[in-house]
Amino acid sequence: MTLHEHDVIVVGAGGAGLRAAIAAHEEGADVAMVTKLHPVRSHTGAAEGGINAALRDGDDWELHAYDTMKGSDYLGDAPVIETLAQDAPDEVIQLEHWGMPFSREEDGRVSQRPFGGLSFPRTTYAGAETGHHLLHTMYEQVVKRGIQVYDEFYVSQLGVTDHDDPEDRECHGVVAYDIKSGEVVGFQATNGVILATGGDGQVFDHTTNAVANTGDGPAMAYRAGVPVEDMEFVQFHPTTLPSTGVLISEGVRGEGGILYNSEGERFMFERGYANNAGELASRDVVARAELTEVNEGRGINDEYVYLDMRHLGDERVYDRLENIIHLAEDFEGVNPVEEPMPVKPGQHYHMGGIETNEHGQTCIDGLYAAGECACASVHGSNRLGGNALPELIVFGARAGHHAAGRDLGEAEVQTGTSARSEDEDSLDTPVEPGALDTGDEDIAADGAMVDADSVVEHAVEAERARIEGMLERDGTNHAEIREDLQKAMTENVNVFRNKEGLQQALETIRECRERYQDVAVADPSRTFNTDLIHTIETGNLIDIAETITLGALAREEFRGAHWRQEHQERKDEDWLKHTMIAWNDGTPDLYYKPVILEGENKEYEPKVRSY
């Protein structure tokens, strides 16, 4: 059995994973990154807009924090939001020192532009390819430091002890399928494992997310006993290309792009959706406005609206948004300097994820998470544009430092079964895990010391047996299951939701889970077997889809990105709380914990959001 040993294992090599690896290395740890993609192919490279940071006179971190809390519709946790706002300027300056090629003003300062929901133009950017440059800048630092990168290793399972209470469990490593050789191998972590696996957009069939964004980290952590938080809150970006879901950056609207309906109306203003901010209202507001226009017969071809940037002038567009021209031409056959682009909302980002504190810690000792796969609750029910990339670098750095041993101060993680009250809901429909339990009943059953090698080795053997079973049996093809899953989510758990649709989606998801128990891999090869990888990923998508739908069905209010037809008001008296779902021996266990609105020097009072 192949077993690689390192102090810190980082799973995933996008923005959060790269920053975490660098931070852990800065603490003197032996760090390894294990990733199914080469780092510069990670989905962070698709981020176009920018990085929010209070850098200029007239702006400060407190304004950034307030905008973020307001954008979250008061479901973000104040200490975490303030951490983001306070740490972001130093992280952006660090990127600049590492060589990040930010766009600049004539006086040499890093450029900043307006973004939706911001009270100050604080979004730094590098053209419309900010994520691409971010990846390359940090990957250079990884190479410079000699950090080990195991690329084309697909992590499919965690090596976790099997105590009954998740808060007594320990994570000692991960199991991965070596895509090049077909071998199932173990990675043992002396200090900790950091999950930085990105988003889960493939649970929907119209998404800006890459094909590889299948919720691997949250699904693995969930099955291992870590609760997932606020999964019902899914962001649908207002401007994606109708034919593909390819993202059109919010930077277009930040530079002055205008949305029109089929009647030529600038509907964000003329129809009263956002009388002050217009196109630069928060993303949930704009997405709902666009779909309302389409549903009321003012869409183009009953599907989309127009985004127009012709009036900005060729020079400005080519200087700041050149890649948008190529995207529109390549995927829609439209030259946006001569005609408006068709756009419609598409799944873009998940506010929910693995429950962590601001250091990335989960309730399982030695297991961390950072980036989009995690939920430290910085975004609440709606993320502001420009706040995803600072989340990656701020909380990636914190997770890396903490996992490597630096004491960053106390921060309690309200997690696990002990956080539940007896009157909370238990969703008592039993379900089978998407993967085998990797715990060993004989290991640590009495609380004795655990041999880390044994935990990881047992996990490797269990995962090898599961994979061999998929490869050798005849059964259902995962693609049929995934198609039905995505269709149900897109039809029923989209921007507009109602009880009947959510119940129908949940029924379909559980049918998919039942069919998945007999899933088989059509390709019998052991090397570069993408069919095998996609089959395992589909199991993860089923787990993610169920938690999103359960949370959406339970939350009977309208808050942020979560719109319910039957509940058209935000209900602070009942729902100013986080939705938690834990995997309780095969039964999704739903409970709640309070939102923290008290920050460093102030308490944020919920108000009606207006833009």
Side-chain angles (χ1 to χ4, degrees):
M1 175 186 295
T2 302
L3 185 64
H4 303 279
E5 297 185 30
H6 299 273
D7 294 337
V8 175
I9 302 291
V10 180
V11 182
L18 290 167
R19 188 65 187 92
I22 294 167
H25 183 270
E26 289 171 341
E27 298 298 324
D30 170 23
V31 187
M33 308 186 73
V34 187
T35 171
K36 64 182 177 182
L37 301 172
H38 189 277
V40 298
R41 290 188 59 225
S42 298
H43 188 62
T44 301
E48 298 167 350
I51 308 172
N52 290 340
L55 298 172
R56 298 277 181 89
D57 291 341
D59 195 14
D60 60 51
W61 71 263
E62 291 180 313
L63 287 174
H64 185 186
Y66 175 77
D67 291 343
T68 301
M69 179 62 83
K70 177 182 176 182
S72 80
D73 216 352
Y74 299 92
L75 205 74
D77 284 340
V80 185
I81 287 174
E82 292 186 349
T83 294
L84 175 83
Q86 289 173 316
D87 288 7
D90 287 342
E91 287 292 333
V92 168
I93 292 169
Q94 178 65 79
L95 285 172
E96 197 275 339
H97 289 175
W98 283 339
M100 174 91 171
F102 286 108
S103 296
R104 295 184 180 274
E105 302 299 320
E106 291 184 1
D107 62 6
R109 293 184 300 168
V110 169
S111 296
Q112 293 187 286
R113 60 186 171 203
F115 249 44
L118 299 184
S119 59
F120 192 92
R122 68 173 63 93
T123 307
T124 64
Y125 58 95
E129 307 89 29
T130 309
H132 172 82
H133 292 298
L134 178 71
L135 275 184
H136 282 264
T137 298
M138 290 199 292
Y139 182 57
E140 286 176 358
Q141 296 301 311
V142 165
V143 173
K144 175 182 177 180
R145 288 164 168 77
I147 295 171
Q148 177 76 52
V149 178
Y150 298 89
D151 63 289
E152 296 192 320
F153 280 78
Y154 176 41
V155 174
S156 58
Q157 197 60 264
L158 303 177
V160 176
T161 56
D162 72 331
H163 289 82
D164 290 338
D165 188 339
E167 294 187 11
D168 292 331
R169 294 176 189 169
E170 298 175 349
C171 182
H172 291 285
V174 300
V175 181
Y177 167 70
D178 183 347
I179 298 171
K180 298 181 287 296
S181 72
E183 184 183 5
V184 179
V185 302
F187 290 86
Q188 183 175 310
T190 306
N191 288 39
V193 170
I194 303 173
L195 296 176
T197 58
D200 50 37
Q202 287 300 314
V203 80
F204 294 87
D205 64 13
H206 187 82
T207 177
T208 67
N209 282 199
V211 174
N213 284 26
T214 51
D216 302 334
M220 287 189 292
Y222 174 54
R223 293 192 298 265
V226 182
V228 288
E229 179 175 352
D230 290 340
M231 295 295 279
E232 64 267 38
F233 296 112
V234 179
Q235 181 166 90
F236 295 86
H237 197 288
T239 55
T240 75
L241 296 179
S243 63
T244 59
V246 167
L247 176 68
I248 296 299
S249 169
E250 191 163 316
V252 174
R253 286 174 287 133
E255 293 293 340
I258 295 171
L259 291 168
Y260 290 111
N261 61 19
S262 63
E263 299 179 7
E265 295 174 323
R266 192 175 178 182
F267 58 86
M268 291 304 299
F269 289 103
E270 295 184 42
R271 294 282 171 175
Y273 296 110
N275 292 325
N276 295 318
E279 288 84 3
L280 286 178
S282 67
R283 288 176 174 177
D284 60 317
V285 173
V286 181
R288 282 192 296 272
E290 290 178 0
L291 284 185
T292 299
E293 292 299 294
V294 172
N295 292 342
E296 293 183 357
R298 295 185 295 275
I300 294 94
N301 294 330
D302 295 323
E303 184 184 8
Y304 52 81
V305 296
Y306 279 138
L307 175 60
D308 195 355
M309 63 179 188
R310 293 173 294 177
H311 57 287
L312 301 179
D314 292 8
E315 182 178 352
R316 185 174 181 181
V317 170
Y318 276 98
D319 178 48
R320 302 186 179 191
L321 300 166
E322 182 178 358
N323 79 313
I324 302 301
I325 299 172
H326 303 312
L327 292 175
E329 289 179 333
D330 292 345
F331 293 106
E332 297 292 340
V334 170
N335 182 350
V337 297
E338 298 178 355
E339 54 188 321
M341 294 175 282
V343 294
K344 73 175 188 178
Q347 192 283 340
H348 179 60
Y349 184 90
H350 202 166
M351 277 72 75
I354 303 165
E355 184 195 25
T356 73
N357 63 16
E358 58 262 45
H359 305 320
Q361 290 175 289
T362 73
C363 66
I364 293 179
D365 189 33
L367 182 62
Y368 297 75
E372 189 174 350
C373 73
C375 182
S377 198
V378 71
H379 305 302
S381 65
N382 176 68
R383 176 177 70 79
L384 294 183
N387 266 357
L389 295 185
E391 176 193 22
L392 303 183
I393 54 180
V394 167
F395 296 106
R398 284 177 161 261
H401 286 304
H402 202 283
R406 185 196 291 188
D407 181 6
L408 298 176
E410 293 299 320
E412 181 181 355
V413 193
Q414 295 184 353
T415 59
T417 54
S418 64
R420 304 173 206 168
S421 61
E422 293 181 359
D423 60 346
E424 298 296 7
D425 298 329
S426 180
L427 304 167
D428 57 2
T429 303
V431 292
E432 293 297 321
L436 296 178
D437 181 5
T438 61
D440 186 329
E441 294 180 0
D442 296 325
I443 296 177
D446 59 356
M449 292 296 291
V450 177
D451 182 82
D453 289 355
S454 299
V455 174
V456 178
E457 288 171 3
H458 178 77
V460 170
E461 292 299 333
E463 188 66 357
R464 182 180 290 125
R466 183 173 79 105
I467 289 173
E468 289 297 326
M470 291 181 184
L471 289 167
E472 293 174 358
R473 67 172 170 255
D474 294 325
T476 307
N477 187 291
H478 86 92
E480 300 170 8
I481 300 172
R482 187 184 291 205
E483 182 179 7
D484 291 344
L485 181 79
Q486 292 174 328
K487 182 179 179 181
M489 293 297 290
T490 299
E491 288 183 355
N492 298 309
V493 199
N494 211 291
V495 174
F496 296 135
R497 302 168 174 179
N498 60 53
K499 182 177 181 179
E500 181 181 359
L502 293 170
Q503 289 175 332
Q504 178 58 55
L506 191 57
E507 181 178 338
T508 301
I509 292 163
R510 287 178 169 164
E511 289 173 355
C512 289
R513 183 182 295 283
E514 183 65 28
R515 292 160 60 195
Y516 188 79
Q517 303 312 307
D518 189 40
V519 75
V521 178
D523 181 357
S525 66
R526 281 1 187 218
T527 61
F528 293 98
N529 191 335
T530 54
D531 190 34
L532 170 62
I533 294 169
H534 293 163
T535 300
I536 298 172
E537 290 172 336
T538 296
N540 293 333
L541 290 173
I542 292 170
D543 289 339
I544 296 300
E546 184 175 48
T547 59
I548 293 171
T549 308
L550 287 172
L553 191 58
R555 184 172 286 272
E556 296 182 338
E557 69 162 348
F558 168 20
R559 185 183 298 271
H562 175 63
W563 182 97
R564 279 289 300 270
Q565 184 178 30
E566 307 89 350
H567 306 282
Q568 286 294 291
E569 295 180 351
R570 193 182 77 190
K571 302 174 183 177
D572 290 340
E573 66 278 7
D574 297 323
W575 288 101
L576 201 59
K577 56 189 178 183
H578 297 295
T579 307
M580 312 299 298
I581 302 178
W583 182 271
N584 185 16
D585 295 327
T587 299
D589 191 1
L590 186 145
Y591 61 103
Y592 301 95
K593 70 175 186 180
V595 175
I596 303 171
L597 294 177
E598 186 173 348
E600 185 176 296
N601 298 311
K602 63 180 293 186
E603 183 167 350
Y604 297 83
E605 180 183 353
K607 301 176 182 178
V608 176
R609 283 195 310 159
S610 62
Y611 290 99

